[in-house]
């Protein structure tokens, strides 16, 4: 396949077993992680670090004004570089998960016959995404998952996609900063993950500063089983939709992106 997936944007196919196992081993050793989320006229960087097990606390909250292409001292790349230096890591050691603005994403459902090989389903998703975006198949980046509920005749594939150029733009910005782009994820999916794990519930978003938020990793498996909502914004509950409209919304998304390092 010539298109790219969100989860493995540097390759033109899904992650193979060996690299999946390698990722799981790295995940167990993760001590801190970062998420970079779109915000009004800029981006929010939020970093999480381990506290008393199983909780993660916030150690970094920074707002970078401007867009990803800006290479000046006011740009996102410069802000990332400065933040990385302040954490004392070697060049290229920091990995960040970035949020895809929903305005840049398309999503849908695709029915395929039960028993199809994953590669066949992936090819159909790529074509469907290309049609929705008005691009050539090789110009799209996408992610998909099969609905576990099947009627025995067809399998519903939930998918989300964006222009591959958007992923390349993210990658270039992060590389200029000396960081590594770990993954790109729709912002609604990240927000859902953070909301499930937020200690104290959604009211914490409006009553405590982001530096005081704590996240319970023990709730991550539950959050992952509910991942279907990542492709269906209407399935989000009203409280979460309302929270995303507040000033705390981008920080919540960034936290969910950082939490992805432990999934």
């Amino acid at each position: 396949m010539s298109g790219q997936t969100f989860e493995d944007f540097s390759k033109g196919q899904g992650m193979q077993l060996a690299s999946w196992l390698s990722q799981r081993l790295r995940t167990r050793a993760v001590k801190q992680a970062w998420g970079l989320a779109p915000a009004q006229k800029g981006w929010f960087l939020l970093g999480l670090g381990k506290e008393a097990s199983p909780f993660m606390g916030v150690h970094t909250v920074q707002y970078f004004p401007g867009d990803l292409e800006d290479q000046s001292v006011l740009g996102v790349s410069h802000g990332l570089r400065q933040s990385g230096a302040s954490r004392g890591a070697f060049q290229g050691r920091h990995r960040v998960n970035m949020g895809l603005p929903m305005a840049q994403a398309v999503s849908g459902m695709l029915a395929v016959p039960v028993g199809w090989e994953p590669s066949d389903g992936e090819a159909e998703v790529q074509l469907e995404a290309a049609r929705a975006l008005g691009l050539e198949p090789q110009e799209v980046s996408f992610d998909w998952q099969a609905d576990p509920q099947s009627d025995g005749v067809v399998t519903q594939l939930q998918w989300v996609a964006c222009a591959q150029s958007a992923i390349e733009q993210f990658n270039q910005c992060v590389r200029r900063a000396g960081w590594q782009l770990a993954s790109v994820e729709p912002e609604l999916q990240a927000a859902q993950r953070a909301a499930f794990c937020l200690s104290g519930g959604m009211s914490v978003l409006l009553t405590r500063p982001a530096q005081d938020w704590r996240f319970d990793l023990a709730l991550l498996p539950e959050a992952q089983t509910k991942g279907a909502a990542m492709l269906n914004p209407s399935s989000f509950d009203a409280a979460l939709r309302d929270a995303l409209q507040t000033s705390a919304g981008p920080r919540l998304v960034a936290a969910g992106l950082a939490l992805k390092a432990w999934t």
Side-chain angles (χ1 to χ4, degrees):
M1 304 232 2
S2 55
Q4 296 177 329
T5 67
F6 288 153
E7 295 300 319
D8 196 16
F9 57 86
S10 64
K11 301 177 183 177
Q13 57 188 6
M15 185 175 293
Q16 301 299 314
L17 178 60
S19 57
W20 181 85
L21 289 173
S22 175
Q23 183 186 51
R24 297 299 295 179
L25 290 173
R26 290 198 305 270
T27 293
R28 294 175 184 174
V30 172
K31 303 298 182 185
Q32 58 182 347
W34 286 264
L36 187 62
Q40 186 174 16
K41 298 181 179 180
W43 291 74
F44 261 107
L45 177 71
L46 188 143
L48 296 178
K50 285 192 175 181
E51 295 186 343
S53 181
F55 292 101
M56 308 301 301
V58 177
H59 61 63
T60 300
V61 182
Q62 288 183 281
Y63 173 72
F64 305 139
D67 53 43
L68 300 181
E69 296 93 340
D70 188 352
Q71 299 185 41
S72 72
V73 295
L74 298 177
V76 177
S77 291
H78 180 79
L80 278 175
R81 188 180 304 110
Q82 294 298 106
S83 181
S86 70
R87 297 297 299 181
F90 293 110
Q91 179 106 347
R93 288 287 299 276
H94 283 324
R95 292 166 55 85
V96 63
N97 299 304
M98 291 186 68
L100 177 69
M102 293 310 295
Q104 297 183 26
V106 295
S107 62
M109 298 281 292
L110 182 65
V112 300
V114 168
W116 267 31
E117 291 295 326
S119 59
D120 294 330
E122 185 168 300
E124 288 299 309
V125 167
Q126 184 177 9
L127 291 173
E128 189 72 11
R131 283 192 288 267
L133 289 165
L135 299 171
E136 294 298 320
Q138 67 271 19
E139 297 175 333
V140 302
S141 293
F142 60 96
D143 194 11
W144 62 278
Q145 64 182 26
D147 189 332
Q149 301 299 321
S150 171
D151 61 6
V153 178
V154 299
T155 297
Q156 296 290 339
L157 304 181
Q158 298 174 305
W159 60 268
V160 61
C162 71
Q164 191 180 106
S165 58
I167 306 298
E168 293 170 350
Q169 182 186 72
F170 292 173
N171 204 17
Q172 289 170 6
C173 173
V174 170
R175 283 181 174 176
R176 284 196 300 267
W179 288 46
Q180 295 180 30
L181 181 58
S183 72
V184 176
E185 179 176 54
E187 55 184 341
L188 292 182
Q189 180 182 356
Q192 186 189 43
R193 179 184 300 113
F196 282 144
C197 299
L198 183 60
S199 180
M202 297 295 289
S203 62
V204 169
L205 295 179
L206 301 179
T207 58
R208 298 181 188 174
Q211 288 85 347
D212 293 341
W213 295 352
R214 301 177 78 209
F215 297 90
D216 187 347
L217 293 185
L219 299 179
L220 274 176
E222 178 185 357
Q224 289 303 103
T225 63
K226 298 180 180 178
M230 74 176 183
L231 307 178
N232 184 13
S234 64
S235 67
F236 278 62
D237 62 42
L240 182 52
R241 287 197 299 270
D242 291 345
L244 290 177
Q245 302 306 311
T246 70
S247 60
R251 297 173 180 84
L252 182 69
V253 173
L257 291 164
L259 285 166
K260 186 174 177 62
W262 288 278
T263 61

